[in-house]
Protein backbone atom coordinates (compact mmCIF):
# COMPACT_ATOMS: atom_id res chain seq x y z
CA UNK A 1 0.00 0.00 0.00
CA UNK A 2 1.10 3.59 -0.73
CA UNK A 3 0.26 6.34 1.74
CA UNK A 4 0.37 9.98 0.70
CA UNK A 5 0.54 12.76 3.27
CA UNK A 6 0.01 16.15 1.68
CA UNK A 7 -2.04 18.90 0.13
CA UNK A 8 -5.30 19.04 -1.78
CA UNK A 9 -5.95 22.16 -3.88
CA UNK A 10 -8.49 23.22 -6.42
CA UNK A 11 -6.46 24.43 -9.40
CA UNK A 12 -7.78 27.57 -11.11
CA UNK A 13 -6.06 27.33 -14.47
CA UNK A 14 -5.77 29.96 -17.19
CA UNK A 15 -4.07 29.25 -20.49
CA UNK A 16 -2.05 32.17 -21.88
CA UNK A 17 0.46 32.77 -24.68
CA UNK A 18 3.09 33.50 -22.03
CA UNK A 19 3.49 33.76 -18.26
CA UNK A 20 3.23 37.47 -17.32
CA UNK A 21 6.26 39.30 -15.91
CA UNK A 22 5.80 41.31 -12.67
CA UNK A 23 3.42 44.18 -13.36
CA UNK A 24 2.37 42.81 -16.74
CA UNK A 25 -1.17 41.83 -17.77
CA UNK A 26 -1.52 39.12 -20.38
CA UNK A 27 -4.75 38.25 -22.13
CA UNK A 28 -5.29 34.53 -21.66
CA UNK A 29 -7.74 32.10 -23.23
CA UNK A 30 -9.78 29.41 -21.51
CA UNK A 31 -10.24 28.99 -17.75
CA UNK A 32 -10.66 25.62 -16.03
CA UNK A 33 -11.13 24.39 -12.48
CA UNK A 34 -9.21 21.13 -12.05
CA UNK A 35 -8.58 18.96 -8.95
CA UNK A 36 -4.94 19.35 -7.90
CA UNK A 37 -2.57 19.80 -4.98
CA UNK A 38 0.74 17.98 -4.92
CA UNK A 39 -0.41 15.45 -2.33
CA UNK A 40 -3.74 14.73 -3.99
CA UNK A 41 -2.12 14.49 -7.42
CA UNK A 42 0.37 11.95 -6.11
CA UNK A 43 -2.37 9.92 -4.43
CA UNK A 44 -4.56 10.02 -7.52
CA UNK A 45 -1.65 9.01 -9.75
CA UNK A 46 -0.66 6.11 -7.48
CA UNK A 47 -4.21 4.80 -7.45
CA UNK A 48 -4.57 5.13 -11.24
CA UNK A 49 -1.34 3.13 -11.52
CA UNK A 50 -2.99 0.33 -9.60
CA UNK A 51 -1.65 0.74 -6.05
CA UNK A 52 -3.88 0.53 -3.01
CA UNK A 53 -3.55 4.17 -1.93
CA UNK A 54 -4.58 6.16 1.13
CA UNK A 55 -4.48 9.96 1.34
CA UNK A 56 -3.96 11.92 4.53
CA UNK A 57 -4.70 15.64 4.24
CA UNK A 58 -7.18 18.42 4.89
CA UNK A 59 -9.78 20.47 3.03
CA UNK A 60 -12.27 23.09 4.19
CA UNK A 61 -15.95 22.46 4.85
CA UNK A 62 -16.94 23.82 1.44
CA UNK A 63 -17.96 22.67 -2.00
CA UNK A 64 -14.41 22.71 -3.40
CA UNK A 65 -13.31 20.42 -0.57
CA UNK A 66 -16.18 18.05 -1.37
CA UNK A 67 -15.25 18.06 -5.06
CA UNK A 68 -11.60 17.26 -4.31
CA UNK A 69 -12.56 14.36 -2.06
CA UNK A 70 -15.00 13.03 -4.66
CA UNK A 71 -12.39 13.23 -7.42
CA UNK A 72 -9.98 11.07 -5.41
CA UNK A 73 -12.71 8.67 -4.32
CA UNK A 74 -13.81 8.17 -7.93
CA UNK A 75 -10.26 7.09 -8.80
CA UNK A 76 -10.13 4.60 -5.94
CA UNK A 77 -8.13 6.53 -3.31
CA UNK A 78 -9.00 5.81 0.32
CA UNK A 79 -10.05 9.29 1.56
CA UNK A 80 -11.10 8.33 5.07
CA UNK A 81 -8.13 10.30 6.41
CA UNK A 82 -8.88 13.50 4.51
CA UNK A 83 -10.11 15.81 7.26
CA UNK A 84 -12.56 18.69 6.92
CA UNK A 85 -11.26 21.69 8.85
CA UNK A 86 -13.52 24.34 10.41
CA UNK A 87 -13.03 28.02 9.58
CA UNK A 88 -10.55 27.56 6.75
CA UNK A 89 -11.28 27.32 3.04
CA UNK A 90 -10.04 24.52 0.83
CA UNK A 91 -6.60 25.23 -0.68
CA UNK A 92 -6.54 26.78 -4.12
CA UNK A 93 -3.78 27.15 -6.70
CA UNK A 94 -3.78 29.98 -9.27
CA UNK A 95 -2.03 28.57 -12.33
CA UNK A 96 -1.02 30.15 -15.62
CA UNK A 97 0.00 27.67 -18.30
CA UNK A 98 1.77 29.17 -21.29
CA UNK A 99 1.87 27.80 -24.82
CA UNK A 100 5.24 26.11 -24.21
CA UNK A 101 3.54 23.95 -21.55
CA UNK A 102 5.44 25.64 -18.71
CA UNK A 103 3.48 27.04 -15.80
CA UNK A 104 3.59 29.47 -12.89
CA UNK A 105 1.72 28.47 -9.73
CA UNK A 106 0.72 30.39 -6.60
CA UNK A 107 -0.91 28.41 -3.83
CA UNK A 108 -3.25 29.72 -1.10
CA UNK A 109 -2.97 26.70 1.23
CA UNK A 110 -6.12 27.28 3.31
CA UNK A 111 -6.99 24.07 5.18
CA UNK A 112 -3.71 22.42 4.13
CA UNK A 113 -1.95 24.71 6.60
CA UNK A 114 -4.10 23.32 9.42
CA UNK A 115 -2.98 19.70 9.02
CA UNK A 116 -1.19 19.12 12.34
CA UNK A 117 1.02 16.37 13.78
CA UNK A 118 -1.92 15.59 16.11
CA UNK A 119 -4.01 14.74 13.04
CA UNK A 120 -1.61 11.87 12.37
CA UNK A 121 -1.70 10.42 15.83
CA UNK A 122 -4.80 8.28 15.33
CA UNK A 123 -3.61 7.02 11.97
CA UNK A 124 -0.71 4.77 12.89
CA UNK A 125 -2.70 1.66 11.89
CA UNK A 126 -2.55 2.76 8.24
CA UNK A 127 1.21 3.29 8.41
CA UNK A 128 1.54 -0.26 9.72
CA UNK A 129 0.06 -1.52 6.43
CA UNK A 130 1.98 0.79 4.08
CA UNK A 131 5.10 -0.05 2.08
CA UNK A 132 5.92 3.45 0.82
CA UNK A 133 4.97 6.93 2.03
CA UNK A 134 5.05 9.99 -0.21
CA UNK A 135 5.17 13.47 1.29
CA UNK A 136 5.77 16.97 -0.11
CA UNK A 137 6.08 20.48 1.37
CA UNK A 138 2.64 22.07 0.91
CA UNK A 139 1.62 21.15 4.47
CA UNK A 140 3.27 22.43 7.71
CA UNK A 141 6.83 21.25 8.20
CA UNK A 142 6.08 19.81 11.68
CA UNK A 143 3.45 17.59 10.10
CA UNK A 144 5.87 16.51 7.38
CA UNK A 145 8.36 15.64 10.10
CA UNK A 146 5.79 13.76 12.17
CA UNK A 147 4.77 11.72 9.12
CA UNK A 148 8.39 10.86 8.35
CA UNK A 149 8.94 9.77 11.96
CA UNK A 150 5.82 7.62 11.92
CA UNK A 151 6.81 6.03 8.61
CA UNK A 152 10.33 5.29 9.84
CA UNK A 153 8.94 3.75 13.05
CA UNK A 154 6.80 1.41 10.92
CA UNK A 155 9.55 0.52 8.41
CA UNK A 156 7.79 2.35 5.61
CA UNK A 157 10.07 3.60 2.80
CA UNK A 158 9.88 7.40 2.74
CA UNK A 159 9.93 9.56 -0.39
CA UNK A 160 10.12 13.31 0.18
CA UNK A 161 9.34 15.42 -2.88
CA UNK A 162 10.69 18.76 -1.55
CA UNK A 163 8.27 21.02 -3.42
CA UNK A 164 7.67 23.88 -3.08
CA UNK A 165 11.30 24.40 -2.08
CA UNK A 166 12.08 25.43 1.46
CA UNK A 167 15.12 24.95 3.70
CA UNK A 168 15.01 21.72 5.72
CA UNK A 169 16.71 20.72 8.94
CA UNK A 170 19.04 17.76 9.34
CA UNK A 171 16.48 15.65 11.21
CA UNK A 172 14.27 15.67 8.12
CA UNK A 173 17.14 14.61 5.87
CA UNK A 174 17.97 11.74 8.21
CA UNK A 175 14.37 10.46 7.99
CA UNK A 176 14.23 10.47 4.19
CA UNK A 177 15.02 7.34 2.17
CA UNK A 178 14.54 8.94 -1.24
CA UNK A 179 14.65 12.68 -1.89
CA UNK A 180 13.31 13.86 -5.28
CA UNK A 181 14.17 17.54 -5.84
CA UNK A 182 14.39 19.32 -9.17
CA UNK A 183 17.49 21.47 -9.87
CA UNK A 184 16.14 24.62 -8.19
CA UNK A 185 14.97 22.73 -5.12
CA UNK A 186 18.35 20.99 -4.93
CA UNK A 187 20.11 24.36 -5.11
CA UNK A 188 18.12 25.71 -2.18
CA UNK A 189 18.44 22.55 -0.08
CA UNK A 190 22.17 22.15 -0.60
CA UNK A 191 23.14 25.83 -0.79
CA UNK A 192 25.24 24.86 -3.82
CA UNK A 193 25.05 25.74 -7.50
CA UNK A 194 23.27 23.26 -9.81
CA UNK A 195 23.84 24.65 -13.29
CA UNK A 196 25.79 21.69 -14.65
CA UNK A 197 25.63 17.90 -14.24
CA UNK A 198 28.90 17.95 -12.26
CA UNK A 199 27.55 20.59 -9.87
CA UNK A 200 24.25 18.70 -9.50
CA UNK A 201 26.22 15.60 -8.59
CA UNK A 202 28.26 17.49 -5.99
CA UNK A 203 25.13 19.08 -4.48
CA UNK A 204 23.42 15.69 -4.37
CA UNK A 205 26.37 14.08 -2.62
CA UNK A 206 26.31 16.91 -0.08
CA UNK A 207 22.73 15.94 0.83
CA UNK A 208 23.68 12.26 1.07
CA UNK A 209 26.13 13.29 3.80
CA UNK A 210 23.24 14.88 5.68
CA UNK A 211 21.55 11.47 5.95
CA UNK A 212 19.38 11.09 2.85
CA UNK A 213 19.85 7.54 1.48
CA UNK A 214 19.11 8.16 -2.21
CA UNK A 215 18.44 11.11 -4.45
CA UNK A 216 16.59 11.27 -7.73
CA UNK A 217 17.00 14.73 -9.17
CA UNK A 218 14.43 15.53 -11.84
CA UNK A 219 15.64 17.65 -14.74
CA UNK A 220 12.47 18.07 -16.82
CA UNK A 221 13.08 17.34 -20.48
CA UNK A 222 16.66 16.29 -19.62
CA UNK A 223 15.51 13.29 -17.56
CA UNK A 224 16.71 12.54 -14.04
CA UNK A 225 19.85 11.68 -12.11
CA UNK A 226 19.91 8.88 -9.56
CA UNK A 227 22.59 9.43 -6.92
CA UNK A 228 23.63 7.13 -4.11
CA UNK A 229 26.92 6.74 -2.26
CA UNK A 230 29.46 5.72 -4.95
CA UNK A 231 26.74 5.55 -7.63
CA UNK A 232 25.47 8.08 -10.17
CA UNK A 233 23.27 7.34 -13.17
CA UNK A 234 21.59 9.65 -15.67
CA UNK A 235 18.19 8.51 -16.94
CA UNK A 236 17.30 10.34 -20.16
CA UNK A 237 13.76 11.61 -20.66
CA UNK A 238 11.46 10.61 -23.50
CA UNK A 239 11.11 13.35 -26.05
CA UNK A 240 7.44 14.35 -26.17
CA UNK A 241 5.55 17.53 -27.03
CA UNK A 242 4.53 19.06 -23.69
CA UNK A 243 1.19 20.87 -23.59
CA UNK A 244 1.10 21.31 -19.79
CA UNK A 245 3.81 20.27 -17.31
CA UNK A 246 1.49 20.59 -14.27
CA UNK A 247 1.65 17.43 -12.09
CA UNK A 248 4.48 15.85 -14.11
CA UNK A 249 6.65 15.81 -10.98
CA UNK A 250 3.73 14.44 -8.97
CA UNK A 251 3.09 11.57 -11.36
CA UNK A 252 6.83 10.79 -11.50
CA UNK A 253 6.96 10.54 -7.69
CA UNK A 254 3.79 8.46 -7.52
CA UNK A 255 5.05 6.04 -10.16
CA UNK A 256 8.30 5.66 -8.27
CA UNK A 257 6.36 4.87 -5.09
CA UNK A 258 4.05 2.38 -6.82
CA UNK A 259 6.95 0.54 -8.40
CA UNK A 260 9.04 0.42 -5.21
CA UNK A 261 6.00 -0.72 -3.20
CA UNK A 262 5.82 -3.71 -5.58
CA UNK A 263 9.43 -4.54 -4.77
CA UNK A 264 10.88 -3.41 -8.12
CA UNK A 265 14.54 -2.37 -8.16
CA UNK A 266 15.21 1.36 -8.28
CA UNK A 267 16.38 1.36 -11.90
CA UNK A 268 13.08 -0.16 -13.08
CA UNK A 269 11.13 2.22 -10.87
CA UNK A 270 12.87 5.24 -12.43
CA UNK A 271 12.22 3.98 -15.97
CA UNK A 272 8.55 3.47 -15.13
CA UNK A 273 8.34 6.92 -13.51
CA UNK A 274 9.99 8.54 -16.55
CA UNK A 275 7.33 7.02 -18.81
CA UNK A 276 4.51 8.18 -16.53
CA UNK A 277 5.94 11.72 -16.34
CA UNK A 278 6.24 11.86 -20.14
CA UNK A 279 2.61 10.82 -20.61
CA UNK A 280 1.43 13.38 -18.05
CA UNK A 281 2.89 16.43 -19.85
CA UNK A 282 1.01 15.59 -23.04
CA UNK A 283 -2.37 16.25 -21.38
CA UNK A 284 -3.89 19.33 -19.77
CA UNK A 285 -4.44 19.89 -16.04
CA UNK A 286 -3.27 18.14 -12.89
CA UNK A 287 -5.41 15.09 -12.04
CA UNK A 288 -6.94 15.21 -15.53
CA UNK A 289 -3.53 14.41 -17.05
CA UNK A 290 -2.54 11.37 -14.96
CA UNK A 291 -2.31 8.10 -16.93
CA UNK A 292 -3.89 4.77 -16.01
CA UNK A 293 -1.70 1.68 -15.59
CA UNK A 294 -3.25 0.18 -18.74
CA UNK A 295 -2.08 3.20 -20.73
CA UNK A 296 1.46 3.04 -19.33
CA UNK A 297 1.66 -0.65 -20.26
CA UNK A 298 1.06 0.46 -23.87
CA UNK A 299 3.81 3.10 -23.59
CA UNK A 300 6.01 1.87 -26.45
CA UNK A 301 3.18 1.95 -29.00
CA UNK A 302 1.99 5.30 -27.63
CA UNK A 303 5.50 6.77 -27.89
CA UNK A 304 5.94 5.58 -31.48
CA UNK A 305 2.62 7.20 -32.38
CA UNK A 306 3.67 10.47 -30.67
CA UNK A 307 6.91 10.53 -32.64
CA UNK A 308 5.08 10.00 -35.94
CA UNK A 309 2.57 12.77 -35.13
CA UNK A 310 5.40 15.20 -34.34
CA UNK A 311 7.13 14.65 -37.69
O1 LIG B 1 2.42 19.95 -8.69
C1 LIG B 1 1.29 20.59 -9.26
C2 LIG B 1 0.40 21.10 -8.19
O2 LIG B 1 1.06 22.14 -7.48
C3 LIG B 1 -0.87 21.74 -8.69
O3 LIG B 1 -1.91 20.81 -8.86
C4 LIG B 1 -1.17 22.81 -7.65
O4 LIG B 1 -2.30 22.57 -6.89
C5 LIG B 1 0.09 22.89 -6.79
O5 LIG B 1 -0.08 22.30 -5.57
Amino acid sequence: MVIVVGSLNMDLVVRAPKIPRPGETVLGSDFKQVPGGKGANQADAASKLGAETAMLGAVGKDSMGDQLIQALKKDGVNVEMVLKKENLPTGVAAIVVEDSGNNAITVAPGANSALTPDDLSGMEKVFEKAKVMLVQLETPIDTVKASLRMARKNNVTTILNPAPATELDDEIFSLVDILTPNETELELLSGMETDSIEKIEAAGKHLLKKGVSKLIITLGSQGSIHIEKDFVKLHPAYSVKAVDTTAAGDSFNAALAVSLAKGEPMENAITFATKVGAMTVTKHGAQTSLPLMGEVLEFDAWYEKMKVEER
Side-chain angles (χ1 to χ4, degrees):
M1 183 178 125
V2 173
I3 178 164
V4 183
V5 178
S7 58
L8 301 94
N9 298 324
M10 185 57 85
D11 291 354
L12 311 177
V13 190
V14 174
R15 205 90 212 159
K18 63 172 193 130
I19 294 166
R21 284 169 301 157
E24 189 182 15
T25 302
V26 169
L27 208 53
S29 48
D30 57 324
F31 166 74
K32 283 202 175 71
Q33 221 169 283
V34 185
K38 293 186 193 305
N41 295 344
Q42 293 179 11
D44 199 53
S47 185
K48 282 179 163 171
L49 294 171
E52 185 189 349
T53 307
M55 167 97 209
L56 211 156
V59 294
K61 282 193 167 171
D62 48 33
S63 65
M64 279 188 186
D66 292 342
Q67 287 170 46
L68 294 179
I69 290 174
Q70 279 314 314
L72 291 179
K73 218 173 177 178
K74 173 179 76 53
D75 288 336
V77 178
N78 176 343
V79 288
E80 276 164 31
M81 296 182 299
V82 177
L83 309 171
K84 290 190 177 179
K85 296 281 178 179
E86 299 280 352
N87 306 325
L88 274 169
T90 292
V92 291
I95 304 184
V96 179
V97 183
E98 65 176 15
D99 288 343
S100 69
N102 288 327
N103 61 35
I105 305 181
T106 308
V107 174
N112 294 303
S113 62
L115 188 72
T116 64
D118 277 353
D119 290 332
L120 302 186
S121 54
M123 300 178 177
E124 187 139 8
K125 280 263 164 293
V126 189
F127 281 76
E128 284 168 13
K129 286 195 277 169
K131 283 253 182 327
V132 178
M133 180 189 76
L134 271 166
V135 63
Q136 331 71 35
L137 299 175
E138 282 186 337
T139 50
I141 202 70
D142 285 348
T143 310
V144 171
K145 213 183 251 187
S147 71
L148 288 166
R149 284 198 200 111
M150 196 175 275
R152 182 57 59 87
K153 187 170 156 221
N154 289 285
N155 292 318
V156 179
T157 299
T158 57
I159 303 180
L160 172 62
N161 174 215
T166 180
E167 281 174 20
L168 299 174
D169 66 37
D170 286 359
E171 189 198 348
I172 294 207
F173 288 123
S174 71
L175 292 167
V176 174
D177 294 313
I178 305 164
L179 188 72
T180 58
N182 61 22
E183 304 109 291
T184 40
E185 289 151 6
L186 178 65
E187 185 173 332
L188 186 114
L189 294 174
S190 64
M192 293 165 71
E193 287 179 0
T194 57
D195 54 7
S196 70
I197 297 290
E198 293 73 29
K199 287 181 184 170
I200 288 175
E201 208 180 305
K205 293 222 157 143
H206 178 71
L207 294 185
L208 289 183
K209 288 199 195 109
K210 286 184 180 266
V212 172
S213 307
K214 299 175 177 127
L215 272 114
I216 297 159
I217 299 144
T218 52
L219 308 173
S221 59
Q222 310 253 55
S224 61
I225 305 184
H226 170 194
I227 304 184
E228 292 184 30
K229 194 167 174 282
D230 304 323
F231 178 90
V232 178
K233 183 166 176 192
L234 179 68
H235 287 256
Y238 294 93
S239 157
V240 292
K241 189 175 176 335
V243 299
D244 183 351
T245 57
T246 310
D250 298 330
S251 68
F252 181 96
N253 276 274
L256 205 61
V258 169
S259 208
L260 295 174
K262 279 191 200 158
E264 291 287 339
M266 183 61 101
E267 295 303 293
N268 295 3
I270 296 175
T271 304
F272 179 64
T274 307
K275 290 179 179 174
V276 171
M279 293 183 106
T280 304
V281 301
T282 63
K283 290 200 176 149
H284 293 276
Q287 286 168 39
T288 44
S289 68
L290 304 170
L292 294 163
M293 186 56 153
E295 295 172 315
V296 188
L297 290 174
E298 301 293 323
F299 182 87
D300 290 347
W302 173 87
Y303 189 52
E304 278 309 311
K305 195 166 157 255
M306 287 288 292
K307 282 198 287 193
V308 171
E309 280 170 10
E310 266 176 51
R311 263 186 230 137

